[in-house]
Amino acid sequence: MKIGKFFIAGLLMLAPSWAFSETAKQWTLKDCIDYALKNNIKIQTGIISVASSKEDVKEANARLFPSLSFSTTHQAGYQPFLDKNNTYSDKGSYSGDYGLNASWTVWDGNKNRNNIKLQELTSRQTKLSLDENVNSIQEQIVQLYVQILYVNEAVDVNAQILDISKQNAARGKEMYEVGSLSKADLAQLEAQVATDEYNLVNIKGELEDYKLQMKNLLRLDYDYVFDIALPASTDEQALSAIPSAKDVLSNALSLRPEIQNAMLGMESSNLNIEIAKAGYKPTVSLSGGIGTNTLTGTGQNWGNQMKSNLSGSVGVTLSIPIFDNRSAKTAVNKAKMSLQQSELEMADAKSNLELTIQGFWINATTNQQRFKSAQVSVSSAEESYGLLSEQFRLGLKNIVELTNAKTVLLNAQQSRLESKYMTILYMQLLNFYKGEEMNLI
């Protein structure tokens, strides 16, 4: 008895963790998004890039101030020489130089200050690029999440169809035994059961594949048992009011990071033009330094030499460009071309955003209408199949008519599922582009 208890305990210790995870939490759409935003590598890399761009801004600001450096050089020497007794003696020497130097660019055509503004814009663009990645991850998650919802319900539909096929096969066997159904028709009913079993296994495999894709996107361990929380009523969500495409676009133009990024790109191009024009302007800089040196063999100690050899200088440098081999003009022209490119990118970003939102709205509206029609079709197909199934049991309808009716019912159910979840997906995306959080409850 004790051996049996130890054996069971050992099995429990060796069992994989997922064996006890069947009751693990069910992930809502918000759970998936929140987790991904904390753990996605692309987002983490973007956060580092934002921090790096802030350091560039600090460096650009620091260039407005003077630079200060200290330098020192030490040298030892050796030289043999003849003394008064005409014999060789050794003579060693040591020298040291010490300098403190400063420089400051007083005026460079406002290039430094414009560089600060440019780095600030670049930092903001880096943050907006991170926001674009965040949005992209959220859109990928909602697409996968809705796909899992769709396939999950499709599993239930296929299970119901299989159950119907099994009932028909059982009824057909009874009819065959009393001689009211041919063996060929019975074989066809049994073959339909096998087909529906295959379809059910196949759709279950698709469900696991989509869950695996979501786990990869969330960077969950491969052995983690993942499942999603089913919304209370997907039918009601699919039938809710669709936001106006005009309202969505109006909000998106002021909120979407790709539009803001394109606008900052134009500002950056204008600043680059001003920076390039600084090449035509003179530069004024100040420089100064103090230094001293020491040398052995002078008869003075180190401290006295440091004082007596101390020297300093201050200078002003004025640099006026006269002929620069066209470098300034080329820089200005290329900066203007960059501005034209930024304007085109801005127009393209607005056009793409408008087309995307219009596409979302058309798909949401079309699929909502399809869903309403599909609900009627499913109700009609279920009623028709119920009547025909009963007539088949009474021997009034043949197997071909029964199979056709079941195919019509399955197609109607699949159309209802597809149109419902396509409507939900595009409505979620429309609300997201409008500035609202995506959530399915």
Side-chain angles (χ1 to χ4, degrees):
M1 187 68 179
K2 290 183 178 179
I3 294 175
K5 290 181 178 179
F6 282 124
F7 179 71
I8 294 172
L11 288 177
L12 292 174
M13 292 175 66
L14 294 173
S17 60
W18 52 262
F20 305 97
S21 302
E22 297 301 330
T23 58
K25 78 161 188 176
Q26 294 182 324
W27 292 63
T28 65
L29 177 59
K30 189 176 186 305
D31 291 335
C32 293
I33 290 174
D34 291 344
Y35 188 88
L37 297 187
K38 292 179 181 178
N39 296 276
N40 186 270
I41 288 181
K42 184 178 288 188
I43 293 176
Q44 292 175 343
T45 302
I47 292 173
I48 295 173
S49 297
V50 171
S52 177
S53 68
K54 290 180 179 179
E55 291 299 318
D56 292 335
V57 173
K58 293 177 182 178
E59 182 184 10
N61 277 285
R63 288 176 182 169
L64 293 177
F65 300 95
S67 63
L68 181 66
S69 63
F70 171 77
S71 64
T72 180
T73 303
H74 301 269
Q75 185 173 1
Y78 166 76
Q79 181 181 5
F81 66 97
L82 289 172
D83 59 14
K84 61 183 179 179
N85 296 322
N86 204 27
T87 59
Y88 279 99
S89 298
D90 294 334
K91 182 180 181 182
S93 64
Y94 171 79
S95 64
D97 293 291
Y98 307 86
L100 190 64
N101 300 289
S103 62
W104 181 29
T105 301
V106 180
W107 172 254
D108 62 353
N110 221 25
K111 184 176 180 179
N112 273 345
R113 296 187 179 277
N114 283 329
N115 268 324
I116 294 173
K117 295 177 182 178
L118 183 61
Q119 288 299 334
E120 289 173 344
L121 288 177
T122 301
S123 180
R124 289 168 60 189
Q125 285 185 287
T126 304
K127 175 60 170 63
L128 288 170
S129 295
L130 171 60
D131 292 342
E132 288 184 50
N133 286 332
V134 168
N135 286 348
S136 177
I137 293 296
Q138 292 186 75
E139 289 176 28
Q140 291 178 54
I141 288 174
V142 73
Q143 289 172 7
L144 268 178
Y145 198 92
V146 172
Q147 188 68 40
I148 292 172
L149 286 175
Y150 163 64
V151 179
N152 187 75
E153 193 166 343
V155 168
D156 293 338
V157 169
N158 278 267
Q160 294 171 11
I161 293 296
L162 174 60
D163 186 57
I164 290 173
S165 294
K166 287 180 177 179
Q167 293 176 21
N168 289 339
R171 175 56 180 162
K173 187 175 182 180
E174 295 175 357
M175 295 171 68
Y176 169 73
E177 289 174 351
V178 298
S180 60
L181 186 71
S182 69
K183 189 173 183 179
D185 287 342
L186 176 60
Q188 189 172 347
L189 288 174
E190 292 173 343
Q192 188 62 54
V193 172
T195 299
D196 291 341
E197 286 177 340
Y198 171 82
N199 291 337
L200 180 58
V201 171
N202 189 51
I203 198 70
K204 284 182 176 180
E206 287 186 25
L207 178 60
E208 293 306 313
D209 181 63
Y210 284 121
K211 287 182 179 180
L212 179 60
Q213 291 182 43
M214 181 69 87
K215 284 166 63 176
N216 289 336
L217 190 59
L218 300 179
R219 298 194 61 77
L220 295 171
D221 292 337
Y222 75 96
D223 58 349
Y224 181 87
V225 178
F226 175 83
D227 203 0
I228 64 171
L230 300 179
S233 176
T234 51
D235 285 4
E236 290 182 4
Q237 293 186 48
L239 293 173
S240 60
I242 298 174
S244 164
K246 184 178 180 181
D247 292 341
V248 174
L249 180 60
S250 177
N251 284 23
L253 286 173
S254 60
L255 296 175
R256 293 292 294 185
E258 56 267 35
I259 300 298
Q260 296 179 38
N261 211 338
M263 293 175 66
L264 291 182
M266 294 173 59
E267 290 185 41
S268 296
S269 296
N270 281 314
L271 276 174
N272 278 320
I273 293 175
E274 295 303 316
I275 291 171
K277 287 180 177 179
Y280 293 127
K281 300 175 183 178
T283 300
V284 179
S285 59
L286 297 178
S287 61
I290 56 174
T292 186
N293 61 81
T294 61
L295 179 64
T296 57
T298 62
Q300 293 182 323
N301 61 34
W302 185 85
N304 289 333
Q305 288 190 65
M306 288 288 287
K307 293 178 181 179
S308 62
N309 295 335
L310 185 66
S311 63
S313 64
V314 176
V316 179
T317 301
L318 174 64
S319 177
I320 302 175
I322 298 175
F323 182 70
D324 64 352
N325 301 103
R326 206 180 183 276
S327 61
K329 186 174 183 179
T330 299
V332 171
N333 289 342
K334 292 181 72 173
K336 289 180 178 179
M337 294 176 190
S338 178
L339 175 60
Q340 293 175 350
Q341 183 68 30
S342 297
E343 290 171 344
L344 291 174
E345 289 174 358
M346 180 66 184
D348 188 52
K350 286 184 176 180
S351 177
N352 288 338
L353 182 63
E354 184 175 356
L355 289 173
T356 298
I357 291 174
Q358 191 66 29
F360 289 164
W361 186 85
I362 291 173
N363 277 292
T365 304
T366 303
N367 280 287
Q368 189 179 72
Q369 294 300 321
R370 285 181 57 208
F371 176 58
K372 292 176 180 178
S373 299
Q375 284 184 306
V376 177
S377 297
V378 168
S379 178
S380 176
E382 286 176 342
E383 183 177 355
S384 176
Y385 182 79
L387 292 173
L388 199 146
S389 180
E390 183 62 27
Q391 290 174 331
F392 172 75
R393 292 188 181 93
L394 297 174
L396 301 176
K397 295 292 182 180
N398 59 42
I399 192 170
V400 174
E401 293 171 304
L402 180 67
T403 302
N404 289 339
K406 196 182 81 166
T407 300
V408 170
L409 174 60
L410 179 60
N411 290 339
Q413 289 174 325
Q414 290 177 337
S415 178
R416 180 181 64 83
L417 285 181
E418 181 182 351
S419 58
K420 177 172 71 171
Y421 286 106
M422 290 289 282
T423 303
I424 291 173
L425 171 61
Y426 287 112
M427 287 178 67
Q428 287 288 322
L429 290 172
L430 282 171
N431 287 326
F432 183 56
Y433 274 63
K434 192 179 179 181
E436 300 175 6
E437 288 188 0
M438 291 186 291
N439 202 5
L440 287 167
I441 55 176

